[in-house]
Amino acid sequence: MITPTSQVLRPLLARYAQARVAVEQQPDAAALRALEDVSYTLCVLTGTARVEDALAAADQILERHTGPAAGKDSSALAA
């Protein structure tokens, strides 16, 4: 499986959050469809079948991209 980059995942996770808020505020057909679409996309990109698993997988991928090695690089720049 090809692993999505953080540049792909971050905007997608933001769209998911926005869609969840929209459904909570006004659960109309358009809001529900937007949530379904972004949930499906997250599942496809992470190779999962449930959005809960997709979110967990996305978190793991982002952690790998911003893990301890990335932290060392940023602290070196700050010094």
Side-chain angles (χ1 to χ4, degrees):
M1 178 178 87
I2 297 173
T3 303
T5 65
S6 60
Q7 290 85 0
V8 171
L9 284 175
R10 288 184 193 283
L12 196 57
L13 290 169
R15 277 184 42 213
Y16 176 80
Q18 291 170 342
R20 287 285 308 259
V21 169
V23 166
E24 290 296 320
Q25 291 177 346
Q26 186 174 6
D28 60 14
L32 291 168
R33 179 66 183 166
L35 181 59
E36 288 174 11
D37 286 348
V38 72
S39 297
Y40 174 80
T41 303
L42 276 168
C43 288
V44 168
L45 287 177
T46 58
T48 59
R50 297 176 341 131
V51 71
E52 295 83 5
D53 297 333
L55 294 171
D59 284 344
Q60 290 174 350
I61 293 166
L62 290 174
E63 186 176 306
R64 283 196 303 264
H65 286 283
T66 59
K72 288 180 186 173
D73 290 344
S74 3
S75 63
L77 293 174

